[in-house]
Amino acid sequence: MSLDLDSPSTTNRDWIFPSQSFNLPRTPARRFSSPYPRTTSFQNSLSHPPSNSTPPAVPRTLRRRISHRHRIVEREGSVDAVTDGKSNDFAVQSGECPSSGNKTTSVDKKFTSFFRRFTVSRQAACIIAILVTCFTCLVHKNFSLHNQVNDLQDELSKLNIRLRRCNISDSIDIIDSLSEHNVSGASLKNTALILSFMMLSLPLAFIKYMGYISYIRRPSDSNTEELSLNKQLAYRVDVFLSFHPYAKPLTLLVATLLLICLGGLALFGVTDDSIADCLWLSWTYVADSGNHTNSEGIGPRLVSVSVSFGGMLIFAMMLGLVSDAISEKFDSLRKGRSEVVEQNHTLILGWSDKLGSLLNQLAIANESLGGGTVVVMAERDKEEMELDIAKMEFDFRGTSVICRSGSPLILADLKKVSVSKARAIVVLAEDGNADQSDARALRTVLSLTGVKEGLRGHLVVELGDLDNEVLVKLVGGDLVETVVAHDVIGRLMIQCARQPGLAQIWEDILGFENCEFYIKKWPQLHGMQFEEVLISFPDAIPCGIKVASSGGKIILNPDDSYVLQEGDEVLVIAEDDDSYAPAALPMVKEASLMHIVRPTRKPQKILLTGWRRDIDDMIVVLDAFLAHGSELWMFNEVSEKEREKKLTDGGLDISRLANIILVNREGNAVIRRHLESLPLESFDSILILADESVEDSAIQADSRSLATLLLIRDIQAKRLPYRESMVSKIHGGSSSQGSWREEMQQASDKSVIISEILDPRTKNLLSMSKISDYVLSNELVSMALAMVAEDRQINDVLEELFAEEGNEMQIRGAALYLCDSEELSFYEVLLRARQRREIVIGYRLANADKAVINPPAKTERRKWSVKDVFVVIADKE
């Protein structure tokens, strides 16, 4: 079989054995023997002959037989599909039709069945013939391709021999160049290996050298001490790692790069790979220590194990660094060291018992705005502060309270809470000594004034001693508003002692739950007299004017003829800052002139139990309020000589007291026999102060005040004239709980007892027993701080209301303004009170327990009783 490259490709083998095309000799077709003459092939029998072909001649005898068969089929109807050309051809070729003669029906049926069997067997034979032919072709092609492959291999071997003969000289040159390249590569690899070992041993040599230099330079004199170079180097490294925030990650990165470079050089020296492949392989060993298992040979294995070990150390260092960074971040968040990014928030510096009430009042004040943000910073743990705030039983009303741990004396901590962007800063006084607390408040104010960005809001500083107020205002300047807690409580106690029921009025006005003071400008009221302004607000009660021409001075209870000028603002008592607006003047009946006689002040007898540091200021205020000839009894454990010394050191000159006479008694207010030595039934008012010795603990101070209150009430009840009649009503001489409380209430009607209460929980006990008109000092001070924090102008109003001169809150009997059962509207009562230059802000009915401030429906008329009382703002008598 010869190789013919020009022969066309065959189509019968390419899909089985793809190869080049060769012309193969054709084998003669296998013939099948048959008793019938061969006419056409199987394929031609399955297709119609062409139109131009001539059919073969058929004998006459056969045509008669076929026509006779057609007549039998048509007559019997048993054969219907043997009349086509294909059946005719098979019938002509078979030649087995019966001879002519007489034919019966049975013979015809046998002929038909035989013809059918012959047709089926002929088709099967054709299919088998085709399959055998295909198999034979495939076997033949397989052997032919095998022979072609052998021929091609022989040709390829001959060509290789010729190629080797032609390039034998070039091969020798290539071998020489390869040998030279191998020699130079081996020297380069040795150099890389040596360099890696030198770089690895260089730090050890440097350390040894530094130790040697330090040993040589050591002074001979043992008295002089000089640091070695090793210690100096360690110190420099320590400073670098401590001072720079990214020193540790940077050091770890440098160590990783050095390890990769050293490992790459070492691998380049012990393997046949390129330097780039060795560096990449070194990085894989550092990143995954399991990759060195594929190394082969002693040198590559030693290097790979070393690099993998260094990678494990670096990974451990990186893991520790990341873990420390995450732990430090979470610890910073937990301890409240993160920065507060807020604006127009209220900042509270410090922690005290007043914080709960202060947060409650701020939450109520911000309710109309949908809530606000209050930031608390104190020298306490953040988690403890949040836990204590969560225990406070009140609704924050949408206000968010954020706690941070820090010192207000450190500028960095102040910047952490965005002090420059706060709209108000409240500095709380610490529990304990008043002088120490005020000194710390002064340092806090100094720190706040040193903020470089400046302060957007104002400062509200709580002080413990009135004498330190001047110094704080001197340091803070116009930014500071001070609230002296003891002074406010002392003045409130004195006012409430003179006018029972005033404590509840102050709670309603100072707190944000009911009505409070608001100052706002109303241009539509310019040119109106104050008398008309009084009845211009259906939902508020005007009580003062902020005069723009006087530098913003607030005038309480001005004259009716005062005309509002441009820039003036109106001070009102309203439920909220957006709950009131001026309206058209209502039709109010002109107030009839009524001769109102101002009651004359009578001498009073007042008892002070306990001792506090500002008691000298309380004595001065009482001397201004009380009538001439009044007596002030002082009962405490301080000796008389030491008492006079403390009063003198406080700046009180007893000889200058014009209206009161001091009576000193020494004793313990919680011992019954000491109290029984006093004429308790003769006092008009009794003030129970939180004693200075226990004022650091609110619970102890309240327990002492409550015990003193109960003892005084019990002694008074036994000394009252109706005691005999009350005892006769009790069966068997035994007293029940109801009779005891009834006696206490009867005693409270005869005299007024004002108790200074520090803990809000004690307030509930006194309010349920109704045996004392109390003053909740911490809550009232918190209310005042919150009100001044929301609007610093209110502090001027409170200072005038608490001062010895000017206007104050008073409770007046209805008989001063109207007759019994007289029908008047609230506006008519208001205008009638203007005859005495008083502003009526509320009333309390005779059968009511609580006063109504800023009443609604001011134009509706109703009948009043002379037993009703009115709350007014009037000049001090």
Side-chain angles (χ1 to χ4, degrees), residues 443-456:
R443 293 196 298 270
T444 302
V445 174
L446 284 173
S447 299
L448 291 171
T449 55
V451 177
K452 295 182 179 179
E453 294 81 3
L455 299 178
R456 179 186 301 179

Side-chain angles (χ1 to χ4, degrees), residues 618-870:
M618 296 183 64
I619 294 174
V620 173
V621 175
L622 284 171
D623 184 66
F625 282 146
L626 298 179
H628 181 71
S630 300
E631 295 182 3
L632 178 61
W633 288 55
M634 301 177 62
F635 180 73
N636 47 66
E637 298 182 58
V638 182
S639 62
E640 186 174 352
K641 292 183 180 180
E642 186 179 358
R643 189 180 307 173
E644 292 179 358
K645 181 178 181 302
K646 288 185 176 181
L647 293 176
T648 303
D649 294 341
L652 177 64
D653 189 357
I654 301 178
S655 61
R656 292 187 177 182
L657 296 177
N659 297 325
I660 61 175
I661 300 173
L662 292 181
V663 180
N664 295 309
R665 291 290 186 271
E666 184 178 350
N668 194 339
V670 295
I671 299 178
R672 185 182 183 89
R673 66 175 183 273
H674 292 177
L675 292 174
E676 288 179 345
S677 63
L678 300 174
L680 298 177
E681 70 279 2
S682 62
F683 290 109
D684 297 308
S685 301
I686 299 176
L687 277 66
I688 302 177
L689 307 177
D691 199 87
E692 186 180 16
S693 59
V694 293
E695 67 177 356
D696 294 343
S697 175
I699 297 178
Q700 293 184 8
D702 290 349
S703 299
R704 185 181 179 91
S705 300
L706 186 59
T708 303
L709 170 64
L710 296 176
L711 289 174
I712 291 176
R713 283 303 187 200
D714 185 58
I715 295 173
Q716 286 181 340
K718 291 181 177 179
R719 293 180 181 180
L720 290 177
Y722 62 85
R723 175 63 181 170
E724 300 297 333
S725 60
M726 292 294 298
V727 172
S728 62
K729 295 181 182 180
I730 302 173
H731 299 282
S734 62
S735 60
S736 61
Q737 182 180 1
S739 62
W740 171 82
R741 183 173 297 179
E742 190 173 335
E743 292 176 6
M744 292 292 182
Q745 293 177 3
Q746 289 286 345
S748 64
D749 294 337
K750 299 298 179 181
S751 62
V752 178
I753 297 182
I754 306 299
S755 303
E756 182 182 3
I757 303 301
L758 305 180
D759 194 345
R761 290 172 291 186
T762 313
K763 168 188 174 182
N764 300 328
L765 298 176
L766 295 178
S767 60
M768 290 174 60
S769 61
K770 298 181 181 180
I771 58 176
S772 173
D773 193 358
Y774 60 90
V775 172
L776 189 61
S777 63
N778 279 351
E779 190 168 359
L780 287 176
V781 173
S782 301
M783 291 177 180
L785 289 172
M787 185 169 290
V788 178
E790 290 296 319
D791 190 354
R792 62 180 303 181
Q793 303 174 104
I794 304 301
N795 196 28
D796 298 334
V797 179
L798 298 180
E799 286 181 356
E800 182 174 350
L801 292 176
F802 293 152
E804 297 88 352
E805 299 178 354
N807 292 273
E808 66 174 353
M809 206 86 67
Q810 298 180 10
I811 297 179
R812 301 290 193 189
L816 295 176
Y817 310 106
L818 47 84
C819 301
D820 193 14
S821 301
E822 186 176 1
E823 186 175 350
L824 296 173
S825 66
F826 182 80
Y827 274 152
E828 291 176 354
V829 176
L830 178 63
L831 294 180
R832 186 172 291 183
R834 292 302 296 169
Q835 298 178 15
R836 298 183 54 182
R837 198 181 171 181
E838 297 175 352
I839 300 177
V840 180
I841 62 174
Y843 59 84
R844 186 181 67 187
L845 301 178
N847 55 355
D849 295 332
K850 192 174 182 180
V852 179
I853 306 299
N854 184 25
K858 298 178 177 62
T859 58
E860 293 183 3
R861 302 173 66 88
R862 57 167 300 166
K863 289 185 178 181
W864 301 91
S865 173
V866 292
K867 295 182 179 180
D868 299 335
V869 295
F870 290 99

Side-chain angles (χ1 to χ4, degrees), residues 69 80 101 143 158-159 179 186 195 477 519 544 654 680 710 848 864:
R69 178 174 173 268
D80 55 357
F143 282 104
K158 293 179 181 180
L159 293 174
S179 60
L195 181 61
I519 300 177
I654 301 178
L680 298 177
L710 296 176
W864 301 91

Side-chain angles (χ1 to χ4, degrees), residues 25-83:
R26 298 184 181 271
T27 57
R30 184 175 180 181
R31 301 183 181 270
F32 295 91
S33 61
S34 177
Y36 306 102
R38 184 168 181 239
T39 57
T40 59
S41 63
F42 179 73
Q43 294 180 353
N44 293 333
S45 66
L46 296 177
S47 61
H48 296 284
S51 60
N52 56 359
S53 62
T54 304
V58 181
R60 184 177 182 182
T61 305
L62 291 178
R63 286 199 298 269
R64 288 198 303 267
R65 291 177 181 176
I66 292 173
S67 62
H68 175 70
R69 178 174 173 268
H70 278 291
R71 288 194 298 268
I72 295 172
V73 172
E74 290 176 359
R75 184 174 62 248
E76 296 180 358
S78 58
V79 180
D80 55 357
V82 290
T83 58

Side-chain angles (χ1 to χ4, degrees), residues 340-349 358-375 396 398-400 414 417-427 448 454-460 478-481 512 518 576-577 785-794:
V340 176
V341 185
E342 293 287 347
Q343 292 184 357
N344 296 325
H345 58 283
T346 302
L347 176 61
I348 300 176
L349 302 178
L358 178 58
L359 290 177
N360 187 24
Q361 294 300 320
L362 292 175
I364 297 173
N366 294 326
E367 183 180 8
S368 60
L369 302 176
T373 302
V374 179
V375 181
F396 286 100
T399 297
S400 302
L414 292 176
V417 293
S418 300
V419 64
S420 60
K421 300 178 182 179
R423 64 184 179 91
I425 304 171
V426 182
V427 181
L448 291 171
L455 299 178
R456 179 186 301 179
H458 60 281
L459 305 179
V460 183
D478 296 335
L479 291 175
V480 176
E481 297 290 341
F512 287 95
Y518 293 102
D576 206 344
D577 57 348
L785 289 172
M787 185 169 290
V788 178
E790 290 296 319
D791 190 354
R792 62 180 303 181
Q793 303 174 104
I794 304 301

